[in-house]
Amino acid sequence: MSTSPSLGIAIIGVGGIAESHMAALKMTDRAHLVCVQDMDAARARHVAIEQGCRAVATLDDVFECAEVGAVIVCTPNRTHEEIGMRVLDTGRHLLMEKPLAMTVEGAERLAAAADDAGLVMAVGHSHRFSAQSMAINDVIRSGDVGEPRFVRIVMNGGWIWPGWQAWVLDPELSGGHALHNGVHLTDLATWWIGEKPSSVFAVGQKVTSRALDIADYLVVQLRFPNGAAAICEVSRAERPRQSSYLEMTVVGSEGVVSRSWDADGIRAWTEEGMAMWSPAGTSDDVFVRELEGFVDAVDALAPVVPPVVVAVDAVRVATAAELSLRSGRVVQLQGGLR
Ligand SMILES: NC(=O)c1ccc[n+]([C@@H]2O[C@H](COP(=O)([O-])OP(=O)(O)OC[C@H]3O[C@@H](n4cnc5c(N)ncnc54)[C@H](O)[C@@H]3O)[C@@H](O)[C@H]2O)c1
């Protein structure tokens, strides 16, 4: 355990996901919330009172707080590149909500800025920190199921967005569903296969309403240079609306590891038989692990998770999926080992 002083954090954008980061900040002594900023000043003030921190009016005000050593950016996707560049320019470490940026060029620009400044930049690929995702990864890395050949991830749920005006539904602001939500699944699949995909093909539907500008039901297929493949299915169009259906399967050359739709536990089976277990943890732990991993990286105790180059690739894959959705074609990428 580090003896470094608690890291002072500012959060920019205090809407939905900021709640999870603020809850995580309360559950660790490695970091503390110094101030919040939001373009909706009343919301920032309200949150500051609830959290017992300061509300500041502008980004410049955030950077004037000497106690702020790192910034968590929880604003809509289109703002990430500009706000992230400002954070890095002022010498603060950055925990950027996913996706890192709306374009590969934007993601690479942020990566280069963090690297030049010697700052930690982590991207909130939070599903990597769930107990079940980590357990599946541990089984794969143990070698028990052999070389991963096929991944299937299904993350289907009902409509969660606040209304038809929600920024998420505007591809200009969110980048579309493949970038906004699909990026979680494609990141998990590439993590587990352990290679960069060589091609992406996506099919989408507008199930809730044909008037939608995004596909609320999406299937993304990835191919990898070693012949492995992944199918990622993500929906916000399920009925009943409160449904939440999660399935994760990795088929390896020597066995299978799976989290089936009706169980919280993980099963792995090989020629030797079946193992089952229930990784402990709640969704709250996900953001605590993500935050503590970030602080570990700032304290030089551990590498950034995911590595910056992987977060840039996540944007590459997700934007390719968006392109495939629009064109109806397979999009080829420069795949290979990282
Ligand atoms: N890791 C996850 O599982 C997860 C889940 C949901 C959202 N997200 C990501 O978190 C980010 C925020 O999503 P959300 O659902 O919390 O959105 P939200 O709309 O609930 O909140 C966004 C907040 O940012 C504020 N804002 C907008 N533009 C701003 C600007 N330029 N400067 C300062 N404040 C600004 C808004 O007023 C709002 O309070 C997005 O990047 C999204 O992709 C991640």
Side-chain angles (χ1 to χ4, degrees):
M1 178 56 72
S2 154
T3 52
S4 304
S6 164
L7 180 65
I9 301 271
I11 297 184
I12 300 175
V14 281
I17 205 62
E19 296 285 337
S20 300
H21 292 285
M22 292 186 293
L25 279 158
K26 286 195 160 68
M27 292 168 73
T28 181
D29 56 8
R30 309 273 316 280
H32 61 280
L33 187 58
V34 176
C35 63
V36 293
Q37 190 268 338
D38 196 294
M39 68 189 300
D40 180 341
R43 179 179 291 173
R45 279 197 300 276
H46 175 81
V47 167
I49 290 166
E50 276 183 349
Q51 298 291 322
C53 71
R54 289 175 56 197
V56 296
T58 66
L59 281 185
D60 287 336
D61 296 334
V62 171
F63 303 133
E64 273 170 24
C65 297
E67 201 188 339
V68 171
V71 177
I72 305 179
V73 175
C74 301
T75 53
N77 303 347
R78 192 171 72 178
T79 65
H80 286 187
E81 182 182 345
E82 188 186 337
I83 296 177
M85 287 302 294
R86 293 203 56 196
V87 170
L88 296 168
D89 282 348
T90 63
R92 270 42 179 238
H93 302 289
L94 171 62
L95 173 50
M96 175 65 82
E97 257 306 341
K98 59 78 204 161
L100 175 53
M102 294 271 282
T103 60
V104 175
E105 295 70 29
E108 285 175 336
R109 191 167 161 243
L110 285 163
D115 192 41
D116 289 349
L119 293 163
V120 169
M121 181 174 75
V123 181
H125 286 286
S126 51
H127 286 263
R128 282 189 179 230
F129 297 92
S130 81
Q132 56 221 0
S133 302
M134 290 165 61
I136 290 172
N137 193 58
D138 287 348
V139 174
I140 296 168
R141 300 302 154 225
S142 74
D144 286 356
V145 294
E147 189 187 349
R149 309 297 311 164
F150 179 69
V151 171
R152 185 175 70 237
I153 306 173
V154 183
M155 246 179 236
N156 287 352
W159 184 267
I160 51 162
W161 298 312
W164 295 107
Q165 80 290 356
W167 63 266
V168 180
L169 304 178
D170 181 349
E172 291 291 314
L173 302 178
S174 69
H177 201 184
L179 188 64
H180 186 69
N181 273 341
V183 74
H184 281 305
L185 288 76
T186 52
D187 175 60
L188 286 180
T190 55
W191 183 35
W192 291 335
I193 296 281
E195 288 207 354
K196 287 158 64 171
S198 50
S199 71
V200 181
F201 179 63
V203 179
Q205 298 176 58
K206 298 171 180 181
V207 174
T208 305
S209 165
R210 287 170 66 188
L212 280 170
D213 287 327
I214 63 159
D216 56 355
Y217 199 104
L218 189 64
V219 180
V220 181
Q221 177 188 319
L222 307 177
R223 292 256 332 151
F224 296 83
N226 66 0
I231 299 278
C232 301
E233 181 185 337
V234 58
S235 154
R236 283 293 173 209
E238 299 300 304
R239 294 287 184 272
R241 201 181 198 179
Q242 65 274 22
S243 65
S244 175
Y245 180 100
L246 176 69
E247 210 180 288
M248 298 161 153
T249 303
V250 180
V251 180
S253 54
E254 308 293 330
V256 178
V257 56
S258 176
R259 189 266 193 213
S260 66
W261 71 273
D262 57 349
D264 288 332
I266 306 291
R267 291 171 198 200
W269 61 97
T270 63
E271 304 293 353
E272 275 74 54
M274 167 101 74
M276 293 174 61
W277 66 99
S278 295
T282 67
S283 51
D284 288 348
D285 298 339
V286 168
F287 286 87
V288 178
R289 280 193 209 103
E290 181 181 281
L291 175 65
E292 292 192 335
F294 173 65
V295 180
D296 278 347
V298 169
D299 289 347
L301 298 173
V304 179
V305 178
V308 172
V309 65
V310 172
V312 174
D313 278 340
V315 174
R316 197 183 312 278
V317 171
T319 51
E322 285 293 334
L323 185 60
S324 176
L325 268 179
R326 287 195 300 276
S327 65
R329 296 197 172 153
V330 176
V331 177
Q332 303 294 337
L333 298 172
Q334 288 282 336
L337 290 170
R338 288 205 166 87

